[in-house]
Tab-separated table of all heavy atoms in Angstrom:
chain	number	residue	atom	x	y	z
A	383	ALA	N	-11.250	-3.962	-21.902
A	383	ALA	CA	-11.741	-3.467	-23.138
A	383	ALA	C	-13.187	-3.926	-23.414
A	383	ALA	O	-13.539	-5.084	-23.146
A	383	ALA	CB	-10.880	-3.925	-24.295
A	384	ILE	N	-14.031	-3.029	-23.983
A	384	ILE	CA	-15.358	-3.384	-24.410
A	384	ILE	C	-15.627	-2.783	-25.765
A	384	ILE	O	-14.944	-1.785	-26.111
A	384	ILE	CB	-16.400	-2.924	-23.399
A	384	ILE	CG1	-16.438	-1.413	-23.245
A	384	ILE	CG2	-16.222	-3.537	-22.050
A	384	ILE	CD1	-17.562	-0.817	-22.432
A	385	VAL	N	-16.589	-3.305	-26.504
A	385	VAL	CA	-16.936	-2.757	-27.801
A	385	VAL	C	-18.181	-1.837	-27.623
A	385	VAL	O	-19.159	-2.182	-27.049
A	385	VAL	CB	-17.362	-3.917	-28.781
A	385	VAL	CG1	-17.739	-3.342	-30.130
A	385	VAL	CG2	-16.183	-4.861	-28.910
A	386	VAL	N	-17.986	-0.574	-28.107
A	386	VAL	CA	-19.010	0.435	-27.998
A	386	VAL	C	-19.989	0.274	-29.195
A	386	VAL	O	-19.527	0.044	-30.335
A	386	VAL	CB	-18.433	1.835	-27.979
A	386	VAL	CG1	-19.527	2.925	-27.864
A	386	VAL	CG2	-17.420	1.996	-26.856
A	387	LYS	N	-21.288	0.461	-28.939
A	387	LYS	CA	-22.292	0.355	-29.994
A	387	LYS	C	-22.986	1.743	-30.187
A	387	LYS	O	-22.932	2.571	-29.229
A	387	LYS	CB	-23.340	-0.693	-29.677
A	387	LYS	CG	-22.720	-2.132	-29.668
A	387	LYS	CD	-23.825	-3.145	-29.462
A	387	LYS	CE	-23.266	-4.576	-29.595
A	387	LYS	NZ	-24.313	-5.592	-29.479
A	388	ALA	N	-23.520	1.925	-31.365
A	388	ALA	CA	-24.240	3.170	-31.672
A	388	ALA	C	-25.378	3.372	-30.676
A	388	ALA	O	-26.143	2.443	-30.372
A	388	ALA	CB	-24.787	3.123	-33.098
A	389	GLY	N	-25.487	4.635	-30.136
A	389	GLY	CA	-26.511	4.900	-29.138
A	389	GLY	C	-26.120	4.707	-27.727
A	389	GLY	O	-26.920	5.053	-26.814
A	390	ASP	N	-24.942	4.116	-27.503
A	390	ASP	CA	-24.502	3.964	-26.087
A	390	ASP	C	-24.310	5.313	-25.423
A	390	ASP	O	-23.844	6.266	-26.084
A	390	ASP	CB	-23.150	3.161	-26.065
A	390	ASP	CG	-23.358	1.664	-26.301
A	390	ASP	OD1	-24.518	1.220	-26.430
A	390	ASP	OD2	-22.364	0.918	-26.314
A	391	ARG	N	-24.629	5.354	-24.166
A	391	ARG	CA	-24.456	6.571	-23.386
A	391	ARG	C	-23.806	6.204	-22.011
A	391	ARG	O	-24.111	5.174	-21.376
A	391	ARG	CB	-25.765	7.245	-23.121
A	391	ARG	CG	-26.623	7.527	-24.360
A	391	ARG	CD	-27.827	8.346	-24.080
A	391	ARG	NE	-27.457	9.742	-23.874
A	391	ARG	CZ	-27.362	10.608	-24.921
A	391	ARG	NH1	-27.631	10.252	-26.112
A	391	ARG	NH2	-27.044	11.876	-24.652
A	392	PHE	N	-22.844	7.092	-21.605
A	392	PHE	CA	-22.225	6.911	-20.311
A	392	PHE	C	-23.017	7.818	-19.314
A	392	PHE	O	-23.176	9.048	-19.531
A	392	PHE	CB	-20.768	7.366	-20.364
A	392	PHE	CG	-20.092	7.385	-18.998
A	392	PHE	CD1	-19.659	6.233	-18.366
A	392	PHE	CD2	-19.937	8.610	-18.321
A	392	PHE	CE1	-19.068	6.313	-17.114
A	392	PHE	CE2	-19.306	8.662	-17.088
A	392	PHE	CZ	-18.878	7.492	-16.491
A	393	ARG	N	-23.481	7.201	-18.263
A	393	ARG	CA	-24.299	7.933	-17.322
A	393	ARG	C	-23.790	7.765	-15.889
A	393	ARG	O	-23.368	6.620	-15.512
A	393	ARG	CB	-25.780	7.539	-17.387
A	393	ARG	CG	-26.454	8.009	-18.653
A	393	ARG	CD	-27.869	7.720	-18.623
A	393	ARG	NE	-28.549	8.231	-19.819
A	393	ARG	CZ	-29.863	8.087	-20.126
A	393	ARG	NH1	-30.611	7.409	-19.280
A	393	ARG	NH2	-30.358	8.635	-21.247
A	394	THR	N	-23.828	8.783	-15.156
A	394	THR	CA	-23.412	8.766	-13.697
A	394	THR	C	-23.843	10.075	-13.068
A	394	THR	O	-24.313	10.989	-13.769
A	394	THR	CB	-21.927	8.543	-13.532
A	394	THR	OG1	-21.623	8.355	-12.167
A	394	THR	CG2	-21.151	9.717	-14.089
A	395	ILE	N	-23.679	10.174	-11.788
A	395	ILE	CA	-23.801	11.481	-11.087
A	395	ILE	C	-22.476	11.643	-10.306
A	395	ILE	O	-22.078	10.769	-9.589
A	395	ILE	CB	-24.998	11.539	-10.142
A	395	ILE	CG1	-26.274	11.543	-10.996
A	395	ILE	CG2	-24.962	12.733	-9.233
A	395	ILE	CD1	-27.575	11.529	-10.125
A	396	VAL	N	-21.854	12.822	-10.468
A	396	VAL	CA	-20.624	13.105	-9.785
A	396	VAL	C	-20.795	14.158	-8.674
A	396	VAL	O	-21.546	15.116	-8.926
A	396	VAL	CB	-19.497	13.537	-10.750
A	396	VAL	CG1	-19.111	12.427	-11.714
A	396	VAL	CG2	-19.897	14.743	-11.527
A	397	ASN	N	-20.250	13.904	-7.552
A	397	ASN	CA	-20.309	14.892	-6.460
A	397	ASN	C	-19.319	14.450	-5.364
A	397	ASN	O	-18.653	13.439	-5.523
A	397	ASN	CB	-21.722	15.045	-5.897
A	397	ASN	CG	-22.243	13.766	-5.206
A	397	ASN	OD1	-23.040	13.844	-4.293
A	397	ASN	ND2	-21.940	12.543	-5.753
A	398	CYS	N	-19.237	15.269	-4.339
A	398	CYS	CA	-18.371	14.967	-3.207
A	398	CYS	C	-19.204	14.233	-2.195
A	398	CYS	O	-20.420	14.382	-2.087
A	398	CYS	CB	-17.813	16.227	-2.581
A	398	CYS	SG	-16.674	17.151	-3.684
A	399	GLN	N	-18.485	13.360	-1.372
A	399	GLN	CA	-19.230	12.623	-0.324
A	399	GLN	C	-19.678	13.598	0.739
A	399	GLN	O	-19.013	14.571	1.099
A	399	GLN	CB	-18.284	11.547	0.290
A	399	GLN	CG	-18.999	10.636	1.246
A	399	GLN	CD	-17.995	9.608	1.884
A	399	GLN	OE1	-16.846	9.998	2.156
A	399	GLN	NE2	-18.465	8.417	2.098
A	400	TYR	N	-20.803	13.313	1.315
A	400	TYR	CA	-21.341	14.133	2.384
A	400	TYR	C	-20.359	14.287	3.506
A	400	TYR	O	-19.784	13.295	4.002
A	400	TYR	CB	-22.671	13.563	2.907
A	400	TYR	CG	-23.336	14.409	3.951
A	400	TYR	CD1	-23.962	15.570	3.608
A	400	TYR	CD2	-23.328	13.995	5.319
A	400	TYR	CE1	-24.619	16.360	4.576
A	400	TYR	CE2	-23.972	14.803	6.255
A	400	TYR	CZ	-24.585	15.980	5.897
A	400	TYR	OH	-25.172	16.720	6.862
A	401	GLY	N	-20.191	15.559	4.016
A	401	GLY	CA	-19.273	15.792	5.099
A	401	GLY	C	-17.874	16.147	4.694
A	401	GLY	O	-17.099	16.606	5.511
A	402	SER	N	-17.562	16.042	3.363
A	402	SER	CA	-16.218	16.376	2.853
A	402	SER	C	-16.203	17.891	2.519
A	402	SER	O	-16.176	18.239	1.362
A	402	SER	CB	-15.845	15.527	1.676
A	402	SER	OG	-15.850	14.144	2.016
A	403	ASN	N	-16.184	18.686	3.544
A	403	ASN	CA	-16.447	20.112	3.394
A	403	ASN	C	-15.421	20.839	2.495
A	403	ASN	O	-15.803	21.873	1.888
A	403	ASN	CB	-16.523	20.824	4.704
A	403	ASN	CG	-17.649	20.272	5.621
A	403	ASN	OD1	-18.619	19.724	5.075
A	403	ASN	ND2	-17.525	20.395	6.913
A	404	LYS	N	-14.255	20.408	2.430
A	404	LYS	CA	-13.161	21.051	1.647
A	404	LYS	C	-12.910	20.412	0.309
A	404	LYS	O	-11.956	20.707	-0.324
A	404	LYS	CB	-11.861	21.162	2.485
A	404	LYS	CG	-12.027	21.993	3.756
A	404	LYS	CD	-10.721	22.070	4.520
A	404	LYS	CE	-10.885	22.883	5.781
A	404	LYS	NZ	-9.552	22.984	6.544
A	405	CYS	N	-13.776	19.509	-0.029
A	405	CYS	CA	-13.579	18.714	-1.271
A	405	CYS	C	-13.583	19.642	-2.476
A	405	CYS	O	-14.398	20.486	-2.655
A	405	CYS	CB	-14.696	17.681	-1.412
A	405	CYS	SG	-14.663	16.758	-2.926
A	406	ASP	N	-12.562	19.469	-3.357
A	406	ASP	CA	-12.433	20.195	-4.640
A	406	ASP	C	-11.659	19.298	-5.614
A	406	ASP	O	-10.470	19.163	-5.524
A	406	ASP	CB	-11.641	21.519	-4.388
A	406	ASP	CG	-11.591	22.380	-5.662
A	406	ASP	OD1	-11.994	21.885	-6.736
A	406	ASP	OD2	-11.147	23.551	-5.587
A	407	VAL	N	-12.393	18.629	-6.508
A	407	VAL	CA	-11.785	17.618	-7.314
A	407	VAL	C	-12.228	17.807	-8.787
A	407	VAL	O	-13.142	18.494	-9.092
A	407	VAL	CB	-12.248	16.194	-6.873
A	407	VAL	CG1	-11.644	15.851	-5.519
A	407	VAL	CG2	-13.761	16.046	-6.866
A	408	ILE	N	-11.480	17.116	-9.668
A	408	ILE	CA	-11.778	17.056	-11.082
A	408	ILE	C	-12.036	15.648	-11.421
A	408	ILE	O	-11.185	14.721	-11.306
A	408	ILE	CB	-10.591	17.599	-11.954
A	408	ILE	CG1	-10.193	18.995	-11.564
A	408	ILE	CG2	-10.965	17.514	-13.416
A	408	ILE	CD1	-11.241	20.034	-11.793
A	409	PHE	N	-13.288	15.328	-11.849
A	409	PHE	CA	-13.679	14.042	-12.432
A	409	PHE	C	-13.288	14.026	-13.921
A	409	PHE	O	-13.486	15.017	-14.574
A	409	PHE	CB	-15.157	13.785	-12.280
A	409	PHE	CG	-15.599	13.521	-10.889
A	409	PHE	CD1	-15.881	14.599	-10.032
A	409	PHE	CD2	-15.804	12.242	-10.411
A	409	PHE	CE1	-16.379	14.403	-8.717
A	409	PHE	CE2	-16.302	12.034	-9.122
A	409	PHE	CZ	-16.575	13.120	-8.286
A	410	ARG	N	-12.829	12.886	-14.453
A	410	ARG	CA	-12.505	12.836	-15.880
A	410	ARG	C	-12.782	11.414	-16.397
A	410	ARG	O	-12.561	10.426	-15.695
A	410	ARG	CB	-10.997	13.182	-16.104
A	410	ARG	CG	-10.754	13.644	-17.491
A	410	ARG	CD	-9.362	14.212	-17.608
A	410	ARG	NE	-8.352	13.147	-17.835
A	410	ARG	CZ	-7.133	13.233	-17.321
A	410	ARG	NH1	-6.762	14.150	-16.518
A	410	ARG	NH2	-6.278	12.219	-17.554
A	411	LEU	N	-13.305	11.355	-17.614
A	411	LEU	CA	-13.494	10.102	-18.320
A	411	LEU	C	-12.578	10.086	-19.516
A	411	LEU	O	-12.740	10.894	-20.454
A	411	LEU	CB	-14.978	9.915	-18.739
A	411	LEU	CG	-15.252	8.610	-19.469
A	411	LEU	CD1	-15.061	7.436	-18.647
A	411	LEU	CD2	-16.712	8.685	-20.029
A	412	ASP	N	-11.604	9.128	-19.461
A	412	ASP	CA	-10.710	8.912	-20.631
A	412	ASP	C	-11.017	7.569	-21.248
A	412	ASP	O	-11.774	6.757	-20.683
A	412	ASP	CB	-9.249	8.938	-20.183
A	412	ASP	CG	-8.763	10.293	-19.824
A	412	ASP	OD1	-9.574	11.277	-19.805
A	412	ASP	OD2	-7.561	10.486	-19.469
A	413	TYR	N	-10.441	7.359	-22.410
A	413	TYR	CA	-10.512	6.003	-23.087
A	413	TYR	C	-9.189	5.729	-23.778
A	413	TYR	O	-8.511	6.654	-24.227
A	413	TYR	CB	-11.710	5.892	-24.014
A	413	TYR	CG	-11.571	6.699	-25.260
A	413	TYR	CD1	-11.115	6.096	-26.439
A	413	TYR	CD2	-11.976	8.038	-25.339
A	413	TYR	CE1	-11.014	6.848	-27.624
A	413	TYR	CE2	-11.904	8.744	-26.465
A	413	TYR	CZ	-11.389	8.141	-27.636
A	413	TYR	OH	-11.316	8.887	-28.787
A	414	LYS	N	-8.840	4.469	-23.846
A	414	LYS	CA	-7.633	4.066	-24.540
A	414	LYS	C	-7.998	3.215	-25.759
A	414	LYS	O	-8.720	2.201	-25.627
A	414	LYS	CB	-6.741	3.260	-23.571
A	414	LYS	CG	-5.364	2.927	-24.103
A	414	LYS	CD	-4.537	2.222	-23.027
A	414	LYS	CE	-3.110	1.944	-23.528
A	414	LYS	NZ	-2.294	1.313	-22.466
A	415	ASN	N	-7.525	3.607	-26.883
A	415	ASN	CA	-7.831	2.921	-28.124
A	415	ASN	C	-6.515	2.820	-28.948
A	415	ASN	O	-5.942	3.845	-29.261
A	415	ASN	CB	-8.884	3.686	-28.910
A	415	ASN	CG	-9.358	2.923	-30.155
A	415	ASN	OD1	-9.143	1.756	-30.314
A	415	ASN	ND2	-10.001	3.665	-31.040
A	416	ASN	N	-6.159	1.544	-29.310
A	416	ASN	CA	-4.922	1.398	-30.113
A	416	ASN	C	-3.721	1.973	-29.407
A	416	ASN	O	-2.836	2.546	-30.102
A	416	ASN	CB	-5.101	1.900	-31.502
A	416	ASN	CG	-6.168	1.160	-32.268
A	416	ASN	OD1	-6.342	-0.082	-32.161
A	416	ASN	ND2	-6.922	1.904	-33.104
A	417	GLY	N	-3.655	1.941	-28.077
A	417	GLY	CA	-2.539	2.387	-27.373
A	417	GLY	C	-2.516	3.880	-27.120
A	417	GLY	O	-1.621	4.394	-26.433
A	418	VAL	N	-3.529	4.639	-27.608
A	418	VAL	CA	-3.586	6.070	-27.445
A	418	VAL	C	-4.684	6.410	-26.473
A	418	VAL	O	-5.841	5.954	-26.597
A	418	VAL	CB	-3.868	6.813	-28.825
A	418	VAL	CG1	-3.936	8.319	-28.645
A	418	VAL	CG2	-2.784	6.416	-29.810
A	419	VAL	N	-4.369	7.285	-25.487
A	419	VAL	CA	-5.329	7.706	-24.486
A	419	VAL	C	-5.883	9.042	-24.860
A	419	VAL	O	-5.100	9.993	-25.099
A	419	VAL	CB	-4.698	7.725	-23.044
A	419	VAL	CG1	-5.728	8.262	-22.038
A	419	VAL	CG2	-4.179	6.301	-22.696
A	420	LYS	N	-7.204	9.174	-24.817
A	420	LYS	CA	-7.848	10.452	-25.099
A	420	LYS	C	-8.932	10.753	-24.004
A	420	LYS	O	-9.369	9.851	-23.360
A	420	LYS	CB	-8.493	10.489	-26.429
A	420	LYS	CG	-7.520	10.326	-27.603
A	420	LYS	CD	-8.256	10.392	-29.005
A	420	LYS	CE	-7.250	10.231	-30.115
A	420	LYS	NZ	-7.978	10.275	-31.432
A	421	THR	N	-9.176	12.055	-23.834
A	421	THR	CA	-10.201	12.474	-22.857
A	421	THR	C	-11.521	12.722	-23.539
A	421	THR	O	-11.577	13.439	-24.517
A	421	THR	CB	-9.731	13.733	-22.136
A	421	THR	OG1	-8.490	13.501	-21.438
A	421	THR	CG2	-10.774	14.236	-21.144
């Protein structure tokens, strides 16, 4: 658990690894707060 502050941004780059020619995936960012998970 961490405390989020105003202005915080989640940053990354998502892609498949080089050479994984048949790659087909879903990336997802969820969070859990007070026992409830949301996307």
Side-chain angles (χ1 to χ4, degrees):
I384 62 173
V385 179
V386 180
K387 294 187 177 182
D390 282 358
R391 307 188 76 88
F392 173 79
R393 289 186 177 176
T394 186
I395 290 179
V396 294
N397 65 146
C398 296
Q399 186 184 37
Y400 183 73
S402 301
N403 299 335
K404 297 181 180 180
C405 175
D406 185 352
V407 293
I408 305 294
F409 291 82
R410 202 171 83 216
L411 178 65
D412 287 5
Y413 70 95
K414 187 175 184 179
N415 185 16
N416 296 323
V418 179
V419 176
K420 295 183 179 179
T421 297

